[in-house]
Amino acid sequence: MNSEPDYLNADLKFSGTDIPSGKMIWRSPSNIALVKYWGKKPVQIPQNPSVSFTLSKSCSETEVSYTPATPGKPELEFYFHGQRNLQFEEKTSKFFESLSGIFPFVNQLKFEVRSKNTFPHSAGIASSASGMSVLAMVLCDMERQYFGTLQKEEAFSRKASYIARLGSGSACRSVYGGLVIWGETDGVSGTSGFYGFPVIEGVHEIFADYQDTILLVDAGEKKVPSRVGHGLMNSNPFSTKRFIQARDNMAKLLLAIRTGDTETFIRITESEALTLHAMMMTSLPYFLLMKPNTLQVIEQIFAFREKTGLPVSFTLDAGPNVHMLYPAAIRKDVKQFIDNDLRVFLSPLGYIDDMVGNGPEKIL
Ligand code: PMV
């Protein structure tokens, strides 16, 4: 395994009375895994490599205001869509506290975090990926602005990805646009379990602007947090085989993405989605995140593909909603398919028309 970067730095501290006040706003996207991360080792290191598309529209936009704090007493208030949210407040406070060796300056500040999502919270769209990556971007931006470090884009993104991973594993992939690998991957040098790695070259043009229409079957809160799901993989009787399969799928999928082989892409991504949920069903305690309409939508996608020969496929995250993946060139046909055959299975929220995106963006 690549060695872990050493980001502990006692110098990243404001001197004496020189503690600033200010505000930053970043927007960071969610991502959808094609080969899934499910199962981890301490600390937040994946049991197998994964690869995802970073999305474009499904984002968290987060405003972080900071003022000097009472020394030794980190304080943080969290507002989600304008409402104080104590659950997020506790999670973010803990996250910031855990980073005090990497960013000692967080202990010197009082934070007010105001965040909003462009998609329903906890609906199987990885809200922790956008939510944690956006905080990582802000913290690295503060380091860059006040301490003059991380000037090079590569160093900035790598550290942001490392920090995002500590917040939520899959968040490390949201720091980059396009196709992003997390975890050491055979044949791709530079990949690591400590941070994400963007696949910049060799992506076939058909995948460069691939579409992901997120069909919102059920926009309620999910019942089993992914942290619990990952933990259950430690005792899942199929886990060892699963981790080997994921490695194998990485090689096959990356080749398909380079060659524009949509048939293999479909086979691997759909198998990955069903395997992820099979792992949930074979854990003890077992659990089900799919809903009846998840299966209805999947059946419709199979039938549509059979009938038209068009390369439309699905994947699932840790939730009931279906991500429908397809090339931009067949958008019109897919739109018609949704209107005619899928709408009846969707929640009143309908769907989110998303696609591969460029990664986080600084707003202020
Ligand atoms: O980052 P976490 O701990 O929320 O785990 C996410 C796991 C999946 O979304 C199900 C798969 C993945 O690779 O994103």
Side-chain angles (χ1 to χ4, degrees), residues 233-276:
M233 283 301 276
N234 294 331
S235 54
N236 185 302
F238 303 104
S239 59
T240 311
K241 196 75 212 285
R242 157 62 195 154
F243 302 142
I244 295 169
Q245 177 207 38
R247 274 169 213 287
D248 196 42
N249 279 346
M250 282 294 284
K252 288 182 181 142
L253 187 78
L254 289 171
L255 181 64
I257 285 176
R258 288 185 204 291
T259 55
D261 174 358
T262 50
E263 214 169 289
T264 305
F265 177 89
I266 290 170
R267 204 174 55 243
I268 304 286
T269 48
E270 291 189 346
S271 165
E272 277 288 320
L274 295 176
T275 303
L276 170 69

Short mmCIF file of all heavy atoms in Angstrom, two decimals, residues 233-276:
data_model
loop_
_atom_site.label_atom_id
_atom_site.label_comp_id
_atom_site.label_asym_id
_atom_site.label_seq_id
_atom_site.Cartn_x
_atom_site.Cartn_y
_atom_site.Cartn_z
N MET A 233 -19.93 -6.08 7.34
CA MET A 233 -19.12 -6.84 6.37
C MET A 233 -18.01 -7.63 7.08
O MET A 233 -17.51 -8.61 6.53
CB MET A 233 -18.52 -5.92 5.32
CG MET A 233 -19.50 -5.48 4.26
SD MET A 233 -20.22 -6.87 3.36
CE MET A 233 -18.96 -7.17 2.12
N ASN A 234 -17.63 -7.21 8.29
CA ASN A 234 -16.57 -7.94 9.02
C ASN A 234 -17.00 -9.37 9.34
O ASN A 234 -16.16 -10.25 9.47
CB ASN A 234 -16.21 -7.21 10.32
CG ASN A 234 -15.58 -5.86 10.04
OD1 ASN A 234 -14.93 -5.69 9.00
ND2 ASN A 234 -15.76 -4.90 10.94
N SER A 235 -18.31 -9.58 9.47
CA SER A 235 -18.76 -10.93 9.79
C SER A 235 -19.61 -11.54 8.68
O SER A 235 -20.19 -12.62 8.85
CB SER A 235 -19.55 -10.90 11.11
OG SER A 235 -20.59 -9.94 11.00
N ASN A 236 -19.70 -10.86 7.56
CA ASN A 236 -20.49 -11.42 6.45
C ASN A 236 -19.76 -12.63 5.85
O ASN A 236 -18.58 -12.54 5.52
CB ASN A 236 -20.70 -10.33 5.37
CG ASN A 236 -21.61 -10.80 4.26
OD1 ASN A 236 -21.33 -11.80 3.59
ND2 ASN A 236 -22.71 -10.09 4.06
N PRO A 237 -20.44 -13.78 5.73
CA PRO A 237 -19.74 -14.98 5.26
C PRO A 237 -19.21 -14.88 3.83
O PRO A 237 -18.37 -15.68 3.43
CB PRO A 237 -20.81 -16.08 5.37
CG PRO A 237 -22.11 -15.37 5.44
CD PRO A 237 -21.85 -14.04 6.08
N PHE A 238 -19.72 -13.91 3.06
CA PHE A 238 -19.29 -13.80 1.66
C PHE A 238 -18.27 -12.68 1.42
O PHE A 238 -17.89 -12.41 0.29
CB PHE A 238 -20.51 -13.56 0.76
CG PHE A 238 -21.55 -14.63 0.92
CD1 PHE A 238 -22.72 -14.40 1.64
CD2 PHE A 238 -21.35 -15.90 0.38
CE1 PHE A 238 -23.67 -15.40 1.80
CE2 PHE A 238 -22.30 -16.91 0.53
CZ PHE A 238 -23.46 -16.65 1.26
N SER A 239 -17.84 -12.01 2.50
CA SER A 239 -17.07 -10.78 2.30
C SER A 239 -15.73 -11.01 1.58
O SER A 239 -15.38 -10.24 0.69
CB SER A 239 -16.88 -10.03 3.61
OG SER A 239 -16.22 -10.84 4.53
N THR A 240 -15.00 -12.06 1.95
CA THR A 240 -13.68 -12.26 1.34
C THR A 240 -13.82 -12.40 -0.18
O THR A 240 -13.10 -11.77 -0.95
CB THR A 240 -13.00 -13.53 1.93
OG1 THR A 240 -13.09 -13.43 3.33
CG2 THR A 240 -11.56 -13.63 1.51
N LYS A 241 -14.78 -13.20 -0.57
CA LYS A 241 -15.04 -13.41 -2.01
C LYS A 241 -15.46 -12.09 -2.67
O LYS A 241 -15.06 -11.78 -3.79
CB LYS A 241 -16.14 -14.48 -2.15
CG LYS A 241 -16.27 -15.09 -3.50
CD LYS A 241 -15.17 -16.08 -3.81
CE LYS A 241 -14.80 -16.12 -5.28
NZ LYS A 241 -15.72 -16.78 -6.13
N ARG A 242 -16.28 -11.35 -1.96
CA ARG A 242 -16.76 -10.07 -2.49
C ARG A 242 -15.59 -9.11 -2.76
O ARG A 242 -15.56 -8.43 -3.78
CB ARG A 242 -17.76 -9.45 -1.50
CG ARG A 242 -17.94 -7.96 -1.61
CD ARG A 242 -18.49 -7.54 -2.97
NE ARG A 242 -18.32 -6.11 -3.20
CZ ARG A 242 -18.22 -5.57 -4.41
NH1 ARG A 242 -18.28 -6.29 -5.51
NH2 ARG A 242 -18.09 -4.28 -4.53
N PHE A 243 -14.64 -9.04 -1.82
CA PHE A 243 -13.54 -8.10 -2.00
C PHE A 243 -12.68 -8.51 -3.22
O PHE A 243 -12.20 -7.66 -3.96
CB PHE A 243 -12.68 -8.00 -0.73
CG PHE A 243 -13.48 -7.55 0.49
CD1 PHE A 243 -13.24 -8.09 1.76
CD2 PHE A 243 -14.48 -6.59 0.37
CE1 PHE A 243 -13.98 -7.68 2.87
CE2 PHE A 243 -15.24 -6.18 1.49
CZ PHE A 243 -14.98 -6.73 2.73
N ILE A 244 -12.53 -9.82 -3.42
CA ILE A 244 -11.78 -10.30 -4.60
C ILE A 244 -12.55 -9.95 -5.88
O ILE A 244 -11.99 -9.45 -6.86
CB ILE A 244 -11.56 -11.83 -4.51
CG1 ILE A 244 -10.66 -12.15 -3.32
CG2 ILE A 244 -10.98 -12.38 -5.81
CD1 ILE A 244 -10.58 -13.63 -2.96
N GLN A 245 -13.86 -10.16 -5.84
CA GLN A 245 -14.70 -9.87 -7.01
C GLN A 245 -14.61 -8.38 -7.39
O GLN A 245 -14.54 -8.03 -8.57
CB GLN A 245 -16.16 -10.23 -6.68
CG GLN A 245 -17.16 -9.90 -7.77
CD GLN A 245 -18.56 -9.66 -7.22
OE1 GLN A 245 -18.73 -9.05 -6.16
NE2 GLN A 245 -19.56 -10.13 -7.93
N ALA A 246 -14.60 -7.50 -6.37
CA ALA A 246 -14.56 -6.06 -6.65
C ALA A 246 -13.26 -5.70 -7.38
O ALA A 246 -13.26 -4.90 -8.32
CB ALA A 246 -14.68 -5.27 -5.35
N ARG A 247 -12.14 -6.28 -6.95
CA ARG A 247 -10.85 -6.04 -7.62
C ARG A 247 -10.92 -6.45 -9.08
O ARG A 247 -10.47 -5.74 -9.98
CB ARG A 247 -9.73 -6.85 -6.95
CG ARG A 247 -9.15 -6.15 -5.79
CD ARG A 247 -8.23 -7.00 -4.93
NE ARG A 247 -8.40 -6.53 -3.58
CZ ARG A 247 -7.92 -5.38 -3.13
NH1 ARG A 247 -7.15 -4.64 -3.90
NH2 ARG A 247 -8.16 -4.97 -1.91
N ASP A 248 -11.49 -7.60 -9.29
CA ASP A 248 -11.63 -8.14 -10.63
C ASP A 248 -12.55 -7.23 -11.48
O ASP A 248 -12.25 -6.93 -12.64
CB ASP A 248 -12.26 -9.54 -10.44
CG ASP A 248 -12.14 -10.38 -11.65
OD1 ASP A 248 -11.06 -10.35 -12.27
OD2 ASP A 248 -13.14 -11.05 -12.00
N ASN A 249 -13.63 -6.78 -10.87
CA ASN A 249 -14.56 -5.90 -11.57
C ASN A 249 -13.92 -4.55 -11.91
O ASN A 249 -14.25 -3.95 -12.93
CB ASN A 249 -15.83 -5.68 -10.74
CG ASN A 249 -16.80 -6.85 -10.88
OD1 ASN A 249 -16.66 -7.67 -11.78
ND2 ASN A 249 -17.78 -6.92 -9.99
N MET A 250 -13.03 -4.07 -11.04
CA MET A 250 -12.33 -2.81 -11.33
C MET A 250 -11.59 -2.93 -12.65
O MET A 250 -11.69 -2.07 -13.52
CB MET A 250 -11.31 -2.48 -10.22
CG MET A 250 -11.89 -1.92 -8.97
SD MET A 250 -12.64 -0.29 -9.16
CE MET A 250 -11.22 0.78 -9.23
N ALA A 251 -10.82 -4.01 -12.80
CA ALA A 251 -10.01 -4.19 -14.02
C ALA A 251 -10.92 -4.25 -15.25
O ALA A 251 -10.69 -3.57 -16.25
CB ALA A 251 -9.18 -5.47 -13.89
N LYS A 252 -11.99 -5.01 -15.14
CA LYS A 252 -12.90 -5.18 -16.29
C LYS A 252 -13.61 -3.87 -16.63
O LYS A 252 -13.75 -3.51 -17.80
CB LYS A 252 -13.95 -6.25 -15.98
CG LYS A 252 -13.37 -7.66 -15.95
CD LYS A 252 -14.49 -8.67 -15.68
CE LYS A 252 -13.92 -10.07 -15.61
NZ LYS A 252 -14.56 -10.89 -14.59
N LEU A 253 -14.07 -3.18 -15.60
CA LEU A 253 -14.82 -1.94 -15.83
C LEU A 253 -13.93 -0.85 -16.41
O LEU A 253 -14.31 -0.13 -17.33
CB LEU A 253 -15.48 -1.46 -14.54
CG LEU A 253 -16.40 -0.27 -14.78
CD1 LEU A 253 -17.73 -0.73 -15.36
CD2 LEU A 253 -16.66 0.50 -13.51
N LEU A 254 -12.71 -0.73 -15.86
CA LEU A 254 -11.82 0.33 -16.35
C LEU A 254 -11.47 0.09 -17.82
O LEU A 254 -11.40 1.04 -18.61
CB LEU A 254 -10.56 0.44 -15.48
CG LEU A 254 -10.83 1.02 -14.08
CD1 LEU A 254 -9.60 0.90 -13.19
CD2 LEU A 254 -11.29 2.48 -14.16
N LEU A 255 -11.30 -1.16 -18.17
CA LEU A 255 -11.02 -1.48 -19.58
C LEU A 255 -12.23 -1.10 -20.45
O LEU A 255 -12.08 -0.48 -21.51
CB LEU A 255 -10.69 -2.98 -19.73
CG LEU A 255 -10.34 -3.42 -21.15
CD1 LEU A 255 -9.06 -2.73 -21.64
CD2 LEU A 255 -10.16 -4.94 -21.21
N ALA A 256 -13.42 -1.43 -19.98
CA ALA A 256 -14.64 -1.10 -20.74
C ALA A 256 -14.79 0.41 -20.90
O ALA A 256 -15.21 0.90 -21.95
CB ALA A 256 -15.86 -1.67 -20.02
N ILE A 257 -14.41 1.15 -19.87
CA ILE A 257 -14.53 2.61 -19.92
C ILE A 257 -13.51 3.20 -20.90
O ILE A 257 -13.77 4.18 -21.58
CB ILE A 257 -14.43 3.20 -18.50
CG1 ILE A 257 -15.75 2.92 -17.75
CG2 ILE A 257 -14.14 4.70 -18.53
CD1 ILE A 257 -15.78 3.34 -16.31
N ARG A 258 -12.38 2.57 -20.99
CA ARG A 258 -11.36 3.06 -21.94
C ARG A 258 -11.74 2.73 -23.39
O ARG A 258 -11.47 3.50 -24.29
CB ARG A 258 -9.99 2.43 -21.64
CG ARG A 258 -9.37 2.98 -20.37
CD ARG A 258 -7.97 2.42 -20.15
NE ARG A 258 -7.59 2.46 -18.75
CZ ARG A 258 -7.35 3.56 -18.07
NH1 ARG A 258 -7.42 4.72 -18.66
NH2 ARG A 258 -7.03 3.51 -16.79
N THR A 259 -12.38 1.58 -23.57
CA THR A 259 -12.65 1.15 -24.95
C THR A 259 -14.06 1.54 -25.42
O THR A 259 -14.40 1.33 -26.58
CB THR A 259 -12.50 -0.38 -25.07
OG1 THR A 259 -13.35 -0.99 -24.09
CG2 THR A 259 -11.06 -0.83 -24.83
N GLY A 260 -14.87 2.08 -24.51
CA GLY A 260 -16.23 2.45 -24.91
C GLY A 260 -17.15 1.25 -25.02
O GLY A 260 -18.15 1.27 -25.75
N ASP A 261 -16.83 0.20 -24.27
CA ASP A 261 -17.59 -1.06 -24.33
C ASP A 261 -18.79 -0.97 -23.36
O ASP A 261 -18.71 -1.35 -22.20
CB ASP A 261 -16.62 -2.19 -23.94
CG ASP A 261 -17.28 -3.54 -23.82
OD1 ASP A 261 -18.51 -3.64 -24.00
OD2 ASP A 261 -16.55 -4.51 -23.52
N THR A 262 -19.92 -0.48 -23.89
CA THR A 262 -21.08 -0.27 -23.01
C THR A 262 -21.67 -1.59 -22.51
O THR A 262 -22.25 -1.64 -21.43
CB THR A 262 -22.18 0.56 -23.71
OG1 THR A 262 -22.43 -0.02 -24.97
CG2 THR A 262 -21.78 2.00 -23.87
N GLU A 263 -21.51 -2.64 -23.31
CA GLU A 263 -22.08 -3.93 -22.89
C GLU A 263 -21.43 -4.42 -21.59
O GLU A 263 -22.12 -4.82 -20.64
CB GLU A 263 -21.83 -4.94 -24.00
CG GLU A 263 -22.93 -5.96 -24.15
CD GLU A 263 -22.74 -6.75 -25.43
OE1 GLU A 263 -22.95 -6.17 -26.52
OE2 GLU A 263 -22.33 -7.92 -25.32
N THR A 264 -20.09 -4.38 -21.55
CA THR A 264 -19.39 -4.79 -20.33
C THR A 264 -19.69 -3.81 -19.19
O THR A 264 -19.90 -4.21 -18.04
CB THR A 264 -17.87 -4.87 -20.58
OG1 THR A 264 -17.66 -5.74 -21.69
CG2 THR A 264 -17.11 -5.36 -19.37
N PHE A 265 -19.75 -2.53 -19.53
CA PHE A 265 -20.07 -1.50 -18.52
C PHE A 265 -21.40 -1.83 -17.84
O PHE A 265 -21.51 -1.81 -16.62
CB PHE A 265 -20.13 -0.13 -19.19
CG PHE A 265 -20.53 0.99 -18.27
CD1 PHE A 265 -19.57 1.70 -17.55
CD2 PHE A 265 -21.87 1.35 -18.10
CE1 PHE A 265 -19.93 2.74 -16.69
CE2 PHE A 265 -22.24 2.37 -17.24
CZ PHE A 265 -21.27 3.07 -16.54
N ILE A 266 -22.39 -2.17 -18.65
CA ILE A 266 -23.72 -2.49 -18.12
C ILE A 266 -23.64 -3.72 -17.21
O ILE A 266 -24.16 -3.73 -16.09
CB ILE A 266 -24.72 -2.73 -19.27
CG1 ILE A 266 -25.02 -1.42 -19.99
CG2 ILE A 266 -26.01 -3.39 -18.77
CD1 ILE A 266 -25.80 -1.56 -21.29
N ARG A 267 -22.97 -4.76 -17.71
CA ARG A 267 -22.92 -6.02 -16.95
C ARG A 267 -22.26 -5.81 -15.58
O ARG A 267 -22.76 -6.28 -14.56
CB ARG A 267 -22.19 -7.08 -17.76
CG ARG A 267 -22.58 -8.49 -17.36
CD ARG A 267 -21.98 -9.55 -18.25
NE ARG A 267 -20.55 -9.46 -18.35
CZ ARG A 267 -19.88 -9.22 -19.48
NH1 ARG A 267 -20.54 -9.04 -20.61
NH2 ARG A 267 -18.57 -9.17 -19.49
N ILE A 268 -21.14 -5.09 -15.59
CA ILE A 268 -20.40 -4.92 -14.32
C ILE A 268 -21.15 -4.00 -13.36
O ILE A 268 -21.29 -4.31 -12.18
CB ILE A 268 -18.97 -4.35 -14.57
CG1 ILE A 268 -18.19 -5.23 -15.54
CG2 ILE A 268 -18.23 -4.14 -13.25
CD1 ILE A 268 -17.70 -6.52 -15.00
N THR A 269 -21.64 -2.86 -13.85
CA THR A 269 -22.27 -1.91 -12.92
C THR A 269 -23.56 -2.51 -12.32
O THR A 269 -23.81 -2.35 -11.13
CB THR A 269 -22.62 -0.55 -13.57
OG1 THR A 269 -23.28 -0.78 -14.79
CG2 THR A 269 -21.41 0.29 -13.81
N GLU A 270 -24.33 -3.20 -13.13
CA GLU A 270 -25.57 -3.78 -12.59
C GLU A 270 -25.25 -4.89 -11.60
O GLU A 270 -25.87 -5.00 -10.53
CB GLU A 270 -26.48 -4.26 -13.73
CG GLU A 270 -27.04 -3.09 -14.53
CD GLU A 270 -28.12 -3.46 -15.53
OE1 GLU A 270 -28.29 -4.67 -15.82
OE2 GLU A 270 -28.81 -2.54 -16.02
N SER A 271 -24.25 -5.71 -11.94
CA SER A 271 -23.87 -6.78 -11.01
C SER A 271 -23.34 -6.19 -9.69
O SER A 271 -23.66 -6.68 -8.60
CB SER A 271 -22.80 -7.67 -11.66
OG SER A 271 -22.19 -8.47 -10.69
N GLU A 272 -22.58 -5.10 -9.80
CA GLU A 272 -22.07 -4.44 -8.58
C GLU A 272 -23.21 -3.95 -7.70
O GLU A 272 -23.18 -4.08 -6.48
CB GLU A 272 -21.16 -3.27 -8.96
CG GLU A 272 -19.73 -3.67 -9.27
CD GLU A 272 -18.96 -4.08 -8.02
OE1 GLU A 272 -19.12 -3.43 -6.98
OE2 GLU A 272 -18.20 -5.05 -8.08
N ALA A 273 -24.22 -3.34 -8.33
CA ALA A 273 -25.35 -2.80 -7.57
C ALA A 273 -26.07 -3.92 -6.84
O ALA A 273 -26.38 -3.82 -5.64
CB ALA A 273 -26.31 -2.08 -8.51
N LEU A 274 -26.33 -5.01 -7.56
CA LEU A 274 -27.08 -6.11 -6.94
C LEU A 274 -26.22 -6.82 -5.88
O LEU A 274 -26.74 -7.27 -4.86
CB LEU A 274 -27.57 -7.09 -8.02
CG LEU A 274 -28.59 -6.48 -8.99
CD1 LEU A 274 -28.96 -7.48 -10.08
CD2 LEU A 274 -29.85 -6.01 -8.25
N THR A 275 -24.91 -6.88 -6.12
CA THR A 275 -24.03 -7.50 -5.12
C THR A 275 -24.00 -6.67 -3.83
O THR A 275 -24.04 -7.22 -2.73
CB THR A 275 -22.59 -7.65 -5.67
OG1 THR A 275 -22.66 -8.42 -6.87
CG2 THR A 275 -21.68 -8.34 -4.68
N LEU A 276 -23.95 -5.34 -3.99
CA LEU A 276 -23.98 -4.47 -2.80
C LEU A 276 -25.21 -4.80 -1.94
O LEU A 276 -25.11 -5.00 -0.73
CB LEU A 276 -24.02 -3.00 -3.25
CG LEU A 276 -24.30 -1.95 -2.17
CD1 LEU A 276 -23.12 -1.85 -1.21
CD2 LEU A 276 -24.58 -0.58 -2.80
#
